[in-house]
Amino acid sequence: MFPLLGKSVRTAGSAVLHRQYCTPVVNIFDRNVKRLQRERAAKREDVELYDYIKEEVGYRLADRIFDIKRQFTNAVDLGAGRGYVTNHVLGETVQKLTAIDLSPAMLSQIKGSPGLDFSVQEMDEERFQFEPETLDLVVSSLSMHWINDLPACFRAVNRALKPDGVFIGAMFGGDTLYELRSALQLAEQERKGGLAPHVSPFTQIRDVGMLLNRGGFTMLTIDTDELVIGYPSMFELMHDLQGMAENNAAFNRPLHVGRDTLMAAAAIYKDMYARKDEGVSATFQIIFYVGWKPCASQPQPAERGSATVSLKDIGKVMTPKGSGCKK
């Protein structure tokens, strides 16, 4: 049970209790563990070998920035990592960019693109704070799925944006790694008679629009894409996830998985999700989203009742004269 916050207001000889229910924030992810995972991954000598997914998604996000025909004066790459978006943004599109990440080791490896004026700042994405209405672009690539309080983070981004500023991002969706999740669950249920959360939970696409609306964004655009990647076995997939710093960081994650459970999971994975050639498949669902901060200059919906054509007559309006079927 959560406590009620309320106060008594006396009107006309009677007391009225106004109750405000506090909405608790459940911390699912351990941000300190996630920082250590990113630090460890960034210090690997072969760190570039594990950037293939984040580089691809970062390039696609940078391409979406180019599609907006304007020059951004002040932008932020939130959860920049090793510069997966910053390294592809051109100075002709963004005048000044600040790359923010939880890991200083990741930030130190950002190279940027030629001609781009960028700086780095160590900051937890969950505690994102900028001066109100100072940014006209915030971009985030594959970082938001580790945030405990997404509505608060979206509100902070909205607060920092200028009117008509844009928030462009990508995060892993709910179907990500469903093969690995299924194999581990079946193996653990068989070996131990129960389940443990070995794969972190992801946001469903149906929730992203609602969360952006709650954060104060309008004119939303949301779409998904899937990257299906082949691996020799389940163990190579898990090794690469660790190299990406995408291993589990949930508070209730099991700290040890038995060898027999892992071997059973690998066999189940191969049996259920084998590729036609060799190896197994792993699916990464990417949710892309664009949200705008409201502004008076943006297109507005027409007033209710202002339509001049009935829906039942829409076919007559859209059909050109003389194009009907001749009997």
Side-chain angles (χ1 to χ4, degrees):
M1 298 294 292
F2 296 98
L4 293 176
L5 304 179
K7 62 179 181 179
S8 179
V9 180
R10 188 170 299 277
T11 57
S14 62
V16 180
L17 182 64
H18 296 279
R19 293 180 175 178
Q20 296 177 347
Y21 292 86
C22 60
T23 303
V25 177
V26 179
N27 288 328
I28 300 174
F29 306 114
D30 190 334
R31 297 293 296 176
N32 290 327
V33 168
K34 182 49 58 182
R35 179 180 60 82
L36 292 174
Q37 290 174 352
R38 291 181 183 178
E39 288 283 289
R40 191 178 299 118
K43 293 177 181 178
R44 297 177 65 121
E45 294 182 357
D46 57 349
V47 59
E48 294 182 356
L49 294 178
Y50 308 100
D51 285 345
Y52 49 92
I53 294 178
K54 295 188 176 182
E55 280 288 346
E56 174 66 23
V57 175
Y59 176 81
R60 295 187 186 186
L61 275 183
D63 191 55
R64 294 182 181 226
I65 296 174
F66 301 150
D67 290 339
I68 302 176
K69 304 303 180 183
R70 68 168 66 172
Q71 186 180 46
F72 299 99
T73 57
N74 195 10
V76 161
D77 184 358
L78 186 59
R82 298 181 62 248
Y84 307 112
V85 177
T86 302
N87 294 341
H88 298 292
V89 174
L90 301 179
E92 292 82 357
T93 304
V94 178
Q95 291 184 4
K96 181 181 179 182
L97 186 144
T98 304
I100 291 175
D101 198 87
L102 185 66
S103 165
M106 288 273 187
L107 291 173
S108 65
Q109 299 178 17
I110 297 179
K111 301 176 182 178
S113 60
L116 176 66
D117 179 14
F118 79 96
S119 59
V120 299
Q121 182 176 346
E122 181 184 349
M123 181 190 298
D124 190 341
E125 299 97 301
E126 279 196 342
R127 295 174 174 83
F128 175 72
Q129 292 292 336
F130 258 71
E131 291 295 325
E133 299 188 358
T134 55
L135 305 173
D136 45 14
L137 168 66
V138 175
V139 60
S140 178
S141 179
L142 299 184
S143 173
M144 292 289 103
H145 58 282
W146 292 116
I147 301 296
N148 284 300
D149 192 356
L150 268 178
C153 183
F154 287 169
R155 287 194 298 269
V157 171
N158 185 277
R159 186 165 52 249
L161 284 171
K162 301 175 183 177
D164 203 33
V166 61
F167 180 30
I168 304 176
M171 67 171 69
F172 286 123
D175 289 341
T176 298
L177 297 176
Y178 73 87
E179 303 97 338
L180 179 62
R181 183 185 294 109
S182 300
L184 287 170
Q185 287 177 348
L186 290 172
E188 198 158 42
Q189 193 168 19
E190 175 193 354
R191 299 287 172 165
K192 296 185 177 181
L195 302 177
H198 295 286
V199 179
S200 298
F202 297 104
T203 305
Q204 299 292 332
I205 184 173
R206 62 178 178 270
D207 298 325
V208 175
M210 177 192 67
L211 293 171
L212 287 169
N213 271 321
R214 287 178 58 186
F217 292 95
T218 185
M219 296 196 304
L220 305 180
T221 303
I222 302 172
D223 61 278
T224 63
D225 199 359
E226 285 189 353
L227 300 177
V228 181
I229 301 175
Y231 295 90
S233 72
M234 182 191 78
F235 297 107
E236 283 77 12
L237 166 61
M238 297 174 69
H239 178 76
D240 279 18
L241 289 175
Q242 189 176 29
M244 300 175 198
E246 291 298 330
N247 36 335
N248 198 348
F251 277 107
N252 61 346
R253 69 193 184 281
L255 300 180
H256 175 74
V257 183
R259 180 182 177 86
D260 58 336
T261 302
L262 286 175
M263 297 303 295
I268 293 172
Y269 201 128
K270 184 176 181 180
D271 183 63
M272 295 179 62
Y273 306 108
R275 295 171 65 90
K276 292 183 179 180
D277 43 11
E278 287 185 1
V280 296
S281 298
T283 300
F284 296 85
Q285 183 189 38
I286 315 297
I287 302 176
F288 294 94
Y289 56 88
V290 180
W292 296 81
K293 185 168 183 176
C295 179
S297 63
Q298 293 173 349
Q300 302 295 326
E303 294 184 5
R304 185 178 180 87
S306 61
T308 57
V309 178
S310 174
L311 283 176
K312 66 180 181 180
D313 299 327
I314 196 70
K316 300 177 182 178
V317 176
M318 297 180 64
T319 304
K321 293 183 179 180
S323 62
C325 298
K326 296 182 179 180
K327 296 183 180 180

